[in-house]
Amino acid sequence: MLRSLNILYAKNEDISHRNMIEALEFMSMNVRIVTDGEKAYEEYQRSKPDIIISDVEIPILNGLELVEKIRQEDADIQVIILTKCTEVECLLKAVELNIAKYLLKHSASFNDLKNALMICIENITKKKSKLLKHFNKKDYYELNSQVLYVNEKIVRLDYHERDFLELLLKNDLRIVTYKEIENEVWKNNMSSAALRSLVRNLRKKLPLNSIENISKVGYRVVTVNN
């Protein structure tokens, strides 16, 4: 999986980084290298990498300042910090910034780096699994792109169908009440006839028995995520 990921590496000019770069290039074909925090932030905005590896000791914005700035708009991107700093203050700041792994630069081995990247991959995989809602082994809805796939084909939904389905999927561990549906999908008075029509049309597009009606309460969706 590493070869399919984009990695941004923010490093200082230390010649000792050659081994780190060679290790990254060995494990991944998609490594972008920058040499200060400002360039790293610009590259992050431009390319939206999957993983950031950063020295603390880089110019303009140091590594922790860089991550703090990125965290203001992205709480989930995976970050590995490399540093010479062993002070408690640095460690606590890294914890606060939700760093995947904190590696000491001059003692980190190839296996240390690989293990850190494996932690990042596991976190990325968990995040992606939350965005895919499977009705069965092959049919699913992708919350991030708002696309329904049935029999390996994209199925078109109108905006009411999409909003209703997403409301059910985001609450797939419980029944969604009629009142919630009215507030979230219609934004105003909802007729029972309009809701029945919407559900009838949506059921035709979904795998069989994907939506259940609970009399006088509401609806629930049946997924393999439950």
Side-chain angles (χ1 to χ4, degrees):
M1 184 177 179
L2 275 174
R3 292 185 180 276
S4 67
L5 296 176
N6 295 314
I7 295 174
L8 172 60
Y9 181 21
K11 71 178 194 68
N12 61 27
E13 297 293 347
D14 191 336
I15 194 169
S16 66
H17 285 275
R18 186 172 299 163
N19 289 340
M20 181 67 71
I21 294 168
E22 289 175 355
L24 288 170
E25 290 177 342
F26 175 77
M27 289 186 285
S28 173
M29 299 299 292
N30 305 300
V31 182
R32 293 180 176 86
I33 299 169
V34 293
T35 55
D36 68 57
E38 186 175 272
K39 290 176 182 175
Y41 183 72
E42 291 172 357
E43 182 62 28
Y44 155 76
Q45 290 189 309
R46 188 186 69 80
S47 62
K48 298 298 181 184
D50 300 293
I51 299 171
I52 294 174
I53 301 174
S54 179
D55 279 0
V56 170
E57 299 84 8
I58 52 175
I60 306 180
L61 290 175
N62 70 42
L64 294 176
E65 290 170 339
L66 166 66
V67 178
E68 187 170 30
K69 188 171 183 178
I70 289 172
R71 283 287 182 250
Q72 293 174 10
E73 54 191 282
D74 191 335
D76 297 316
I77 190 167
Q78 297 301 296
V79 179
I80 297 169
I81 284 292
L82 294 168
T83 185
K84 298 175 184 177
C85 181
T86 58
E87 295 177 5
V88 173
E89 185 180 343
C90 291
L91 294 170
L92 291 177
K93 187 64 176 179
V95 171
E96 179 186 324
L97 294 172
N98 191 26
I99 302 299
K101 195 68 177 177
Y102 190 94
L103 298 177
L104 294 177
K105 189 157 50 175
H106 293 303
S107 62
S109 66
F110 177 88
N111 283 335
D112 290 332
L113 176 62
K114 185 176 180 180
N115 290 338
L117 290 168
M118 290 303 107
I119 290 171
C120 293
I121 288 173
E122 183 179 352
N123 291 338
I124 290 169
T125 301
K126 286 179 181 178
K127 180 186 174 185
K128 286 183 177 179
S129 69
K130 291 179 182 179
L131 295 174
L132 293 181
K133 294 292 185 176
H134 287 265
F135 304 100
N136 50 52
K137 290 183 178 179
K138 64 176 182 176
D139 303 325
Y140 61 93
Y141 186 86
E142 194 172 275
L143 287 166
N144 195 40
S145 60
Q146 299 183 309
V147 177
L148 171 64
Y149 293 88
V150 177
N151 294 323
E152 300 181 347
K153 294 181 180 179
I154 293 176
V155 177
R156 305 286 180 189
L157 301 176
D158 69 28
Y159 70 94
H160 274 150
E161 291 170 343
R162 184 197 64 229
D163 290 350
F164 176 65
L165 181 58
E166 287 193 3
L167 178 62
L168 296 185
L169 289 171
K170 289 175 181 177
N171 298 279
D172 61 349
L173 297 178
R174 66 178 181 86
I175 300 166
V176 179
T177 66
Y178 292 120
K179 188 64 177 177
E180 289 177 280
I181 295 167
E182 180 177 3
N183 291 339
E184 295 296 326
V185 179
W186 263 264
K187 313 297 183 186
N188 51 34
N189 292 332
M190 174 188 71
S191 71
S192 57
L195 178 58
R196 286 196 300 270
S197 176
L198 181 149
V199 173
R200 183 170 58 250
N201 292 334
L202 183 57
R203 279 175 168 158
K204 293 176 183 177
K205 299 179 180 182
L206 293 172
L208 189 65
N209 300 323
S210 294
I211 297 177
E212 294 181 351
N213 176 234
I214 290 74
S215 180
K216 299 182 180 180
V217 181
Y219 288 89
R220 70 182 292 268
V221 66
V222 179
T223 69
V224 296
N225 305 78
N226 287 354

